[in-house]
């Protein structure tokens, strides 16, 4: 089972949901911090480092003695990372996605590839949680290859929680691909509502079943709840707007440890997710099926 935690915008509580859900998971679980530009799950888990590995992508290197400047490579590269000038070709490594296409189309076999480091994958242990996080090097703009490298460390047969970057762009898509279920975290504000709709469009396009966690309930308005009701989207958990949660977050503490009354909330979320991932979500016919809302009557609001 691969569960992804995502949100249409930053600051909604995605990390809070991911780390606390991992902590109450009960079983051994892998937590993958795919927010590689600023991984922060490790701040909430007292962990023991288990190692780190550099990640590289293959970028082209042009042998000027072979290149005749035909331009096949630059016509192929849709990222404009290689451009032919006169009798040679120039590479812009920071724009290269490492697809290897230019080397394949070069009629003169003038392109070789060299590994260019983009970041690190770090592994840590914290109780029942194996935390695997990507850390993009400063100045590197290309996060999807590092996210794929983080996901490549997933061990089959062990449940996994993927903490996605915020938003709905390429890094999020790279994270969500292959997930069995997505939890979209939002807040009941106009911004939260707007970005939730974008996120819902994204997961529907990817054909991944999903549910919503509404954080900071008590602020804003009811548009998120009305939208979820109208769209038949299950609200898996509501977390009240409780200042103590923000205080615990600012101290780097898990909510389920700092405020034990919230333990039952995250356990309910765990059960709601398990119910929805216990059968074959990879079956496209099932993906199209709507999921009925859970009983949220015992979730307390402040
Ligand atoms: S395709 Fe090969 S030969 Fe042609 S410009 Fe590019 S590197 Fe040079
Ligand atoms: S490897 Fe791919 S992305 Fe990089 S320069 Fe070649 S064609 Fe462009």
């Amino acid at each position: 089972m691969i569960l992804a935690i995502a949100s249409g915008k930053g600051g909604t509580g995605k990390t809070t949901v991911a780390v606390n859900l991992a902590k109450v998971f009960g079983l051994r679980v892998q937590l993958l911090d795919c927010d590689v530009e600023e991984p922060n799950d490790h701040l909430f888990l007292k962990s023991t480092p288990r190692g780190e590995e550099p990640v590289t992508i293959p970028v082209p290197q042009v042998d000027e003695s072979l290149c005749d400047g035909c331009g096949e490579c630059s016509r192929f590269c849709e990222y404009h990372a290689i451009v032919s000038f006169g009798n040679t070709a120039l590479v812009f490594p920071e724009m290269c996605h490492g697809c290897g296409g230019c080397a394949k189309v070069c009629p003169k076999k003038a392109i070789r590839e060299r590994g260019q480091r983009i970041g690190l994958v770090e592994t840590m242990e914290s109780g029942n949680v194996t935390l695997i996080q990507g850390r993009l090097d400063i100045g590197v703009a290309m996060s999807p290859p590092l996210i794929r490298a983080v996901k490549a460390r997933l061990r089959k047969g062990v449940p996994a929680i993927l903490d996605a970057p915020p938003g709905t762009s390429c890094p999020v898509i790279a994270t969500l691909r292959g997930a069995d279920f997505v939890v979209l975290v939002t807040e009941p504000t106009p911004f939260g509502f707007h970005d939730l709709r974008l996120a819902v469009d994204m997961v529907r396009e990817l054909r991944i079943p999903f549910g919503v966690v509404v954080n900071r309930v008590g602020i804003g308005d009811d548009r998120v709840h009305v939208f979820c009701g109208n769209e038949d989207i299950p609200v898996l958990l509501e977390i009240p707007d409780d200042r103590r949660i923000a205080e615990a977050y600012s101290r780097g503490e898990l909510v389920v440890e700092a405020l034990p009354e919230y333990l039952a909330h995250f356990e309910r979320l765990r059960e709601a997710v398990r119910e929805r991932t216990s059968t074959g979500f990879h079956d496209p016919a099932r993906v199209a099926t709507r999921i009925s809302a859970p009983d949220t009557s015992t979730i307390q609001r402040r």
Side-chain angles (χ1 to χ4, degrees):
M1 185 276 287
I2 300 176
L3 166 70
I5 315 291
S7 64
K9 79 178 193 66
T12 55
K14 183 173 54 60
T15 297
T16 298
V17 171
V19 294
N20 284 281
L21 186 59
K23 198 65 188 175
V24 304
F25 210 76
L27 311 166
R28 173 143 290 282
V29 65
Q30 304 171 91
L31 174 61
L32 273 60
D33 195 341
C34 298
D35 192 358
V36 299
E37 290 183 43
E38 45 179 338
N40 62 352
D41 289 356
H42 67 281
L43 299 175
F44 301 90
L45 299 167
K46 294 176 188 65
S47 57
T48 308
R50 288 285 183 243
E52 60 180 42
E53 295 169 68
V55 175
T56 61
I57 59 170
V59 299
Q61 218 170 11
V62 177
D63 182 339
E64 292 185 11
S65 67
L66 298 175
C67 173
D68 64 1
C70 71
E72 282 299 319
C73 53
S74 51
R75 280 190 286 280
F76 178 85
C77 183
E78 60 185 51
Y79 305 107
H80 308 295
I82 187 165
V83 179
S84 63
F85 277 116
N87 290 335
T88 191
L90 288 180
V91 178
F92 299 92
E94 65 284 358
M95 295 164 71
C96 174
H97 282 57
C99 72
C102 53
K104 287 201 166 53
V105 301
C106 175
K108 301 290 182 185
K109 305 291 178 218
I111 297 178
R112 307 218 186 295
E113 291 175 336
R114 64 176 173 86
Q116 170 146 314
R117 181 182 147 139
I118 57 170
L120 281 175
V121 175
E122 300 166 316
T123 304
M124 296 157 234
E125 297 289 344
S126 175
N128 66 311
V129 182
T130 300
L131 173 62
I132 304 170
Q133 71 175 18
R135 190 183 290 279
L136 204 63
D137 283 349
I138 292 170
V140 175
M142 214 71 66
S143 62
L146 183 55
I147 291 169
R148 287 192 286 273
V150 171
K151 291 174 68 177
R153 269 73 178 174
L154 265 180
R155 274 178 48 211
K156 278 192 179 158
V158 181
I161 298 172
L162 314 182
D163 187 3
T168 53
S169 58
C170 296
V172 186
I173 306 291
T175 303
L176 266 47
R177 280 197 195 287
D180 297 303
F181 191 82
V182 178
V183 172
L184 295 175
V185 184
T186 188
E187 59 184 23
T189 62
F191 284 133
F193 174 55
H194 175 269
D195 293 334
L196 173 65
R197 292 175 67 174
L198 295 177
V200 165
D201 287 346
M202 173 183 66
V203 290
R204 283 182 172 156
E205 188 69 30
L206 291 169
R207 299 170 63 85
I208 306 174
F210 65 98
V212 165
V213 168
V214 188
N215 192 15
R216 304 183 68 203
V217 170
I219 63 168
D221 54 40
D222 65 352
R223 276 184 283 182
V224 164
H225 289 89
V226 171
F227 172 72
C228 290
N230 290 343
E231 296 284 323
D232 202 14
I233 296 170
V235 175
L236 306 170
L237 175 67
E238 294 176 308
I239 304 172
D241 179 37
D242 185 338
R243 182 185 170 90
R244 296 173 304 158
I245 294 178
E247 290 172 350
Y249 184 91
S250 69
R251 292 192 298 267
E253 295 173 359
L254 291 168
V255 175
V256 294
E257 291 179 350
L259 303 166
E261 63 266 40
Y262 284 105
L263 185 62
H265 291 194
F266 285 94
E267 287 174 343
R268 285 180 57 79
L269 175 61
R270 176 193 67 201
E271 294 311 311
V273 169
R274 276 190 184 157
E275 277 171 26
R276 288 164 171 77
T277 52
S278 58
T279 49
F281 273 145
H282 284 303
D283 175 358
R286 178 167 172 76
V287 170
T289 306
R290 290 262 190 264
I291 301 162
S292 59
D295 174 15
T296 56
S297 57
T298 60
I299 296 176
Q300 296 170 358
R301 299 191 190 193
R302 198 174 52 150

mmCIF file of all heavy atoms in Angstrom, residues 60-64 66-75 82-91 102-112, ligand 1:
data_model
loop_
_atom_site.group_PDB
_atom_site.id
_atom_site.type_symbol
_atom_site.label_atom_id
_atom_site.label_comp_id
_atom_site.label_asym_id
_atom_site.label_seq_id
_atom_site.Cartn_x
_atom_site.Cartn_y
_atom_site.Cartn_z
ATOM 1 N N PRO A 60 24.632 15.353 -20.963
ATOM 2 C CA PRO A 60 25.490 15.128 -22.129
ATOM 3 C C PRO A 60 26.787 15.930 -22.086
ATOM 4 O O PRO A 60 26.845 17.012 -21.493
ATOM 5 C CB PRO A 60 24.606 15.583 -23.296
ATOM 6 C CG PRO A 60 23.612 16.509 -22.709
ATOM 7 C CD PRO A 60 23.408 16.094 -21.290
ATOM 8 N N GLN A 61 27.783 15.373 -22.713
ATOM 9 C CA GLN A 61 29.067 16.038 -22.890
ATOM 10 C C GLN A 61 29.403 15.881 -24.374
ATOM 11 O O GLN A 61 29.395 14.745 -24.889
ATOM 12 C CB GLN A 61 30.121 15.318 -22.058
ATOM 13 C CG GLN A 61 31.100 16.228 -21.440
ATOM 14 C CD GLN A 61 31.979 15.508 -20.415
ATOM 15 O OE1 GLN A 61 31.964 14.279 -20.323
ATOM 16 N NE2 GLN A 61 32.749 16.256 -19.676
ATOM 17 N N VAL A 62 29.653 16.986 -25.046
ATOM 18 C CA VAL A 62 29.845 16.943 -26.502
ATOM 19 C C VAL A 62 31.336 16.853 -26.835
ATOM 20 O O VAL A 62 32.138 17.641 -26.333
ATOM 21 C CB VAL A 62 29.221 18.197 -27.168
ATOM 22 C CG1 VAL A 62 29.473 18.191 -28.679
ATOM 23 C CG2 VAL A 62 27.724 18.266 -26.876
ATOM 24 N N ASP A 63 31.671 15.902 -27.676
ATOM 25 C CA ASP A 63 33.044 15.778 -28.183
ATOM 26 C C ASP A 63 33.139 16.650 -29.440
ATOM 27 O O ASP A 63 32.605 16.300 -30.506
ATOM 28 C CB ASP A 63 33.334 14.302 -28.518
ATOM 29 C CG ASP A 63 34.769 14.104 -28.996
ATOM 30 O OD1 ASP A 63 35.396 15.090 -29.435
ATOM 31 O OD2 ASP A 63 35.242 12.957 -28.937
ATOM 32 N N GLU A 64 33.796 17.817 -29.282
ATOM 33 C CA GLU A 64 33.823 18.797 -30.376
ATOM 34 C C GLU A 64 34.551 18.268 -31.612
ATOM 35 O O GLU A 64 34.309 18.745 -32.734
ATOM 36 C CB GLU A 64 34.471 20.096 -29.894
ATOM 37 C CG GLU A 64 33.615 20.804 -28.863
ATOM 38 C CD GLU A 64 34.185 22.157 -28.461
ATOM 39 O OE1 GLU A 64 35.119 22.641 -29.126
ATOM 40 O OE2 GLU A 64 33.674 22.717 -27.487
ATOM 41 N N LEU A 66 34.123 15.455 -32.916
ATOM 42 C CA LEU A 66 33.190 14.640 -33.703
ATOM 43 C C LEU A 66 31.976 15.442 -34.174
ATOM 44 O O LEU A 66 31.354 15.106 -35.188
ATOM 45 C CB LEU A 66 32.716 13.432 -32.886
ATOM 46 C CG LEU A 66 33.806 12.436 -32.447
ATOM 47 C CD1 LEU A 66 33.202 11.357 -31.541
ATOM 48 C CD2 LEU A 66 34.434 11.778 -33.674
ATOM 49 N N CYS A 67 31.598 16.464 -33.387
ATOM 50 C CA CYS A 67 30.374 17.228 -33.675
ATOM 51 C C CYS A 67 30.556 18.101 -34.920
ATOM 52 O O CYS A 67 31.582 18.776 -35.077
ATOM 53 C CB CYS A 67 30.042 18.100 -32.467
ATOM 54 S SG CYS A 67 28.688 19.232 -32.761
ATOM 55 N N ASP A 68 29.530 18.090 -35.796
ATOM 56 C CA ASP A 68 29.579 18.979 -36.960
ATOM 57 C C ASP A 68 28.508 20.063 -36.893
ATOM 58 O O ASP A 68 28.257 20.758 -37.877
ATOM 59 C CB ASP A 68 29.442 18.170 -38.260
ATOM 60 C CG ASP A 68 28.080 17.482 -38.362
ATOM 61 O OD1 ASP A 68 27.261 17.656 -37.428
ATOM 62 O OD2 ASP A 68 27.837 16.782 -39.359
ATOM 63 N N GLY A 69 27.841 20.167 -35.727
ATOM 64 C CA GLY A 69 26.850 21.229 -35.547
ATOM 65 C C GLY A 69 25.564 21.011 -36.327
ATOM 66 O O GLY A 69 24.867 21.979 -36.648
ATOM 67 N N CYS A 70 25.209 19.762 -36.583
ATOM 68 C CA CYS A 70 24.022 19.484 -37.404
ATOM 69 C C CYS A 70 22.721 19.946 -36.747
ATOM 70 O O CYS A 70 21.729 20.176 -37.418
ATOM 71 C CB CYS A 70 23.952 18.001 -37.736
ATOM 72 S SG CYS A 70 23.539 16.963 -36.318
ATOM 73 N N GLY A 71 22.694 20.027 -35.398
ATOM 74 C CA GLY A 71 21.515 20.545 -34.702
ATOM 75 C C GLY A 71 20.461 19.499 -34.358
ATOM 76 O O GLY A 71 19.419 19.849 -33.793
ATOM 77 N N GLU A 72 20.706 18.232 -34.685
ATOM 78 C CA GLU A 72 19.724 17.193 -34.351
ATOM 79 C C GLU A 72 19.425 17.171 -32.850
ATOM 80 O O GLU A 72 18.288 17.018 -32.435
ATOM 81 C CB GLU A 72 20.242 15.810 -34.781
ATOM 82 C CG GLU A 72 20.122 15.510 -36.258
ATOM 83 C CD GLU A 72 18.688 15.530 -36.736
ATOM 84 O OE1 GLU A 72 17.807 15.014 -36.020
ATOM 85 O OE2 GLU A 72 18.443 16.098 -37.809
ATOM 86 N N CYS A 73 20.479 17.329 -32.043
ATOM 87 C CA CYS A 73 20.308 17.264 -30.583
ATOM 88 C C CYS A 73 19.418 18.410 -30.092
ATOM 89 O O CYS A 73 18.506 18.194 -29.290
ATOM 90 C CB CYS A 73 21.661 17.278 -29.883
ATOM 91 S SG CYS A 73 22.704 18.665 -30.391
ATOM 92 N N SER A 74 19.674 19.624 -30.564
ATOM 93 C CA SER A 74 18.885 20.758 -30.056
ATOM 94 C C SER A 74 17.452 20.701 -30.571
ATOM 95 O O SER A 74 16.537 21.139 -29.878
ATOM 96 C CB SER A 74 19.540 22.089 -30.396
ATOM 97 O OG SER A 74 19.844 22.163 -31.749
ATOM 98 N N ARG A 75 17.266 20.134 -31.754
ATOM 99 C CA ARG A 75 15.877 19.983 -32.234
ATOM 100 C C ARG A 75 15.132 18.937 -31.398
ATOM 101 O O ARG A 75 13.944 19.050 -31.163
ATOM 102 C CB ARG A 75 15.866 19.578 -33.713
ATOM 103 C CG ARG A 75 16.078 20.756 -34.649
ATOM 104 C CD ARG A 75 15.824 20.378 -36.107
ATOM 105 N NE ARG A 75 16.897 19.568 -36.657
ATOM 106 C CZ ARG A 75 18.055 20.057 -37.100
ATOM 107 N NH1 ARG A 75 18.273 21.354 -37.065
ATOM 108 N NH2 ARG A 75 18.991 19.259 -37.564
ATOM 109 N N ILE A 82 20.349 21.726 -24.739
ATOM 110 C CA ILE A 82 21.498 21.581 -25.633
ATOM 111 C C ILE A 82 21.174 22.361 -26.913
ATOM 112 O O ILE A 82 20.069 22.240 -27.458
ATOM 113 C CB ILE A 82 21.826 20.091 -25.911
ATOM 114 C CG1 ILE A 82 23.139 19.966 -26.701
ATOM 115 C CG2 ILE A 82 20.695 19.356 -26.590
ATOM 116 C CD1 ILE A 82 23.723 18.561 -26.706
ATOM 117 N N VAL A 83 22.120 23.203 -27.298
ATOM 118 C CA VAL A 83 21.873 24.099 -28.435
ATOM 119 C C VAL A 83 23.086 24.052 -29.350
ATOM 120 O O VAL A 83 24.229 24.164 -28.881
ATOM 121 C CB VAL A 83 21.637 25.546 -27.942
ATOM 122 C CG1 VAL A 83 21.395 26.494 -29.119
ATOM 123 C CG2 VAL A 83 20.479 25.608 -26.963
ATOM 124 N N SER A 84 22.847 23.892 -30.662
ATOM 125 C CA SER A 84 23.995 23.864 -31.586
ATOM 126 C C SER A 84 24.333 25.291 -32.022
ATOM 127 O O SER A 84 23.447 26.106 -32.315
ATOM 128 C CB SER A 84 23.682 22.991 -32.807
ATOM 129 O OG SER A 84 22.616 23.526 -33.537
ATOM 130 N N PHE A 85 25.643 25.566 -32.026
ATOM 131 C CA PHE A 85 26.178 26.857 -32.456
ATOM 132 C C PHE A 85 27.313 26.587 -33.432
ATOM 133 O O PHE A 85 28.281 25.917 -33.062
ATOM 134 C CB PHE A 85 26.770 27.630 -31.266
ATOM 135 C CG PHE A 85 25.751 28.383 -30.471
ATOM 136 C CD1 PHE A 85 25.505 28.045 -29.151
ATOM 137 C CD2 PHE A 85 25.064 29.445 -31.036
ATOM 138 C CE1 PHE A 85 24.588 28.744 -28.414
ATOM 139 C CE2 PHE A 85 24.137 30.143 -30.287
ATOM 140 C CZ PHE A 85 23.892 29.795 -28.979
ATOM 141 N N GLY A 86 27.199 27.075 -34.638
ATOM 142 C CA GLY A 86 28.298 26.880 -35.593
ATOM 143 C C GLY A 86 28.598 25.405 -35.771
ATOM 144 O O GLY A 86 27.703 24.617 -36.096
ATOM 145 N N ASN A 87 29.826 25.026 -35.465
ATOM 146 C CA ASN A 87 30.230 23.634 -35.668
ATOM 147 C C ASN A 87 30.189 22.782 -34.413
ATOM 148 O O ASN A 87 30.764 21.698 -34.379
ATOM 149 C CB ASN A 87 31.656 23.589 -36.236
ATOM 150 C CG ASN A 87 31.690 24.098 -37.661
ATOM 151 O OD1 ASN A 87 30.681 24.040 -38.375
ATOM 152 N ND2 ASN A 87 32.826 24.628 -38.073
ATOM 153 N N THR A 88 29.527 23.268 -33.396
ATOM 154 C CA THR A 88 29.477 22.451 -32.170
ATOM 155 C C THR A 88 28.131 22.645 -31.467
ATOM 156 O O THR A 88 27.245 23.334 -31.981
ATOM 157 C CB THR A 88 30.652 22.807 -31.229
ATOM 158 O OG1 THR A 88 30.714 21.843 -30.188
ATOM 159 C CG2 THR A 88 30.505 24.207 -30.627
ATOM 160 N N ALA A 89 28.019 22.009 -30.315
ATOM 161 C CA ALA A 89 26.779 22.129 -29.534
ATOM 162 C C ALA A 89 27.134 22.465 -28.095
ATOM 163 O O ALA A 89 28.100 21.929 -27.541
ATOM 164 C CB ALA A 89 25.998 20.819 -29.597
ATOM 165 N N LEU A 90 26.328 23.356 -27.491
ATOM 166 C CA LEU A 90 26.560 23.763 -26.098
ATOM 167 C C LEU A 90 25.509 23.112 -25.207
ATOM 168 O O LEU A 90 24.329 23.055 -25.551
ATOM 169 C CB LEU A 90 26.431 25.283 -25.961
ATOM 170 C CG LEU A 90 27.542 26.153 -26.548
ATOM 171 C CD1 LEU A 90 27.210 27.618 -26.291
ATOM 172 C CD2 LEU A 90 28.878 25.778 -25.934
ATOM 173 N N VAL A 91 25.962 22.674 -24.042
ATOM 174 C CA VAL A 91 25.050 22.039 -23.082
ATOM 175 C C VAL A 91 24.821 22.996 -21.913
ATOM 176 O O VAL A 91 25.753 23.622 -21.419
ATOM 177 C CB VAL A 91 25.653 20.714 -22.555
ATOM 178 C CG1 VAL A 91 24.714 20.080 -21.528
ATOM 179 C CG2 VAL A 91 25.921 19.755 -23.706
ATOM 180 N N CYS A 102 19.270 13.109 -26.567
ATOM 181 C CA CYS A 102 20.178 13.784 -27.501
ATOM 182 C C CYS A 102 21.302 12.848 -27.930
ATOM 183 O O CYS A 102 21.705 12.852 -29.111
ATOM 184 C CB CYS A 102 20.723 15.069 -26.891
ATOM 185 S SG CYS A 102 21.486 14.843 -25.284
ATOM 186 N N ALA A 103 21.802 12.053 -26.994
ATOM 187 C CA ALA A 103 22.877 11.110 -27.345
ATOM 188 C C ALA A 103 22.375 10.088 -28.359
ATOM 189 O O ALA A 103 23.113 9.675 -29.267
ATOM 190 C CB ALA A 103 23.387 10.417 -26.086
ATOM 191 N N LYS A 104 21.117 9.712 -28.221
ATOM 192 C CA LYS A 104 20.576 8.695 -29.132
ATOM 193 C C LYS A 104 20.394 9.236 -30.546
ATOM 194 O O LYS A 104 20.576 8.518 -31.530
ATOM 195 C CB LYS A 104 19.241 8.166 -28.596
ATOM 196 C CG LYS A 104 19.414 7.249 -27.391
ATOM 197 C CD LYS A 104 18.194 6.360 -27.196
ATOM 198 C CE LYS A 104 18.491 5.225 -26.233
ATOM 199 N NZ LYS A 104 19.049 5.663 -24.951
ATOM 200 N N VAL A 105 20.006 10.518 -30.659
ATOM 201 C CA VAL A 105 19.721 11.038 -32.006
ATOM 202 C C VAL A 105 20.968 11.597 -32.697
ATOM 203 O O VAL A 105 20.920 11.888 -33.896
ATOM 204 C CB VAL A 105 18.619 12.133 -31.983
ATOM 205 C CG1 VAL A 105 17.321 11.592 -31.401
ATOM 206 C CG2 VAL A 105 19.077 13.375 -31.226
ATOM 207 N N CYS A 106 22.057 11.738 -31.975
ATOM 208 C CA CYS A 106 23.271 12.328 -32.583
ATOM 209 C C CYS A 106 23.844 11.395 -33.656
ATOM 210 O O CYS A 106 24.276 10.279 -33.348
ATOM 211 C CB CYS A 106 24.313 12.593 -31.506
ATOM 212 S SG CYS A 106 25.882 13.176 -32.221
ATOM 213 N N PRO A 107 23.852 11.835 -34.921
ATOM 214 C CA PRO A 107 24.325 10.945 -36.001
ATOM 215 C C PRO A 107 25.832 10.721 -35.962
ATOM 216 O O PRO A 107 26.324 9.750 -36.547
ATOM 217 C CB PRO A 107 23.909 11.688 -37.277
ATOM 218 C CG PRO A 107 23.757 13.114 -36.880
ATOM 219 C CD PRO A 107 23.395 13.138 -35.444
ATOM 220 N N LYS A 108 26.561 11.600 -35.295
ATOM 221 C CA LYS A 108 28.030 11.496 -35.247
ATOM 222 C C LYS A 108 28.531 10.787 -33.988
ATOM 223 O O LYS A 108 29.746 10.701 -33.785
ATOM 224 C CB LYS A 108 28.653 12.902 -35.307
ATOM 225 C CG LYS A 108 28.297 13.682 -36.547
ATOM 226 C CD LYS A 108 28.996 13.070 -37.755
ATOM 227 C CE LYS A 108 28.690 13.885 -38.992
ATOM 228 N NZ LYS A 108 29.240 13.266 -40.191
ATOM 229 N N LYS A 109 27.623 10.345 -33.159
ATOM 230 C CA LYS A 109 28.020 9.716 -31.879
ATOM 231 C C LYS A 109 28.991 10.629 -31.113
ATOM 232 O O LYS A 109 29.988 10.174 -30.544
ATOM 233 C CB LYS A 109 28.695 8.352 -32.114
ATOM 234 C CG LYS A 109 27.859 7.381 -32.922
ATOM 235 C CD LYS A 109 26.655 6.923 -32.123
ATOM 236 C CE LYS A 109 25.773 5.985 -32.953
ATOM 237 N NZ LYS A 109 24.355 6.182 -32.722
ATOM 238 N N ALA A 110 28.657 11.922 -31.128
ATOM 239 C CA ALA A 110 29.548 12.902 -30.502
ATOM 240 C C ALA A 110 29.187 13.176 -29.039
ATOM 241 O O ALA A 110 29.865 13.958 -28.374
ATOM 242 C CB ALA A 110 29.488 14.211 -31.299
ATOM 243 N N ILE A 111 28.101 12.548 -28.552
ATOM 244 C CA ILE A 111 27.644 12.854 -27.194
ATOM 245 C C ILE A 111 27.874 11.672 -26.262
ATOM 246 O O ILE A 111 27.428 10.557 -26.531
ATOM 247 C CB ILE A 111 26.135 13.233 -27.203
ATOM 248 C CG1 ILE A 111 25.919 14.512 -28.021
ATOM 249 C CG2 ILE A 111 25.627 13.421 -25.778
ATOM 250 C CD1 ILE A 111 24.472 14.940 -28.131
ATOM 251 N N ARG A 112 28.587 11.944 -25.177
ATOM 252 C CA ARG A 112 28.714 10.972 -24.095
ATOM 253 C C ARG A 112 27.967 11.552 -22.906
ATOM 254 O O ARG A 112 27.637 12.734 -22.896
ATOM 255 C CB ARG A 112 30.179 10.756 -23.728
ATOM 256 C CG ARG A 112 31.074 10.394 -24.877
ATOM 257 C CD ARG A 112 32.122 9.367 -24.466
ATOM 258 N NE ARG A 112 33.063 9.126 -25.552
ATOM 259 C CZ ARG A 112 32.760 8.572 -26.718
ATOM 260 N NH1 ARG A 112 31.515 8.224 -26.967
ATOM 261 N NH2 ARG A 112 33.674 8.384 -27.648
HETATM 262 S S1 LIG B 1 23.508 16.008 -32.889
HETATM 263 FE FE1 LIG B 1 25.647 15.488 -32.467
HETATM 264 S S2 LIG B 1 26.769 16.191 -34.226
HETATM 265 FE FE2 LIG B 1 24.769 17.186 -34.314
HETATM 266 S S3 LIG B 1 25.076 19.156 -33.259
HETATM 267 FE FE3 LIG B 1 24.385 17.690 -31.722
HETATM 268 S S4 LIG B 1 26.245 16.864 -30.830
HETATM 269 FE FE4 LIG B 1 26.846 17.839 -32.744
#
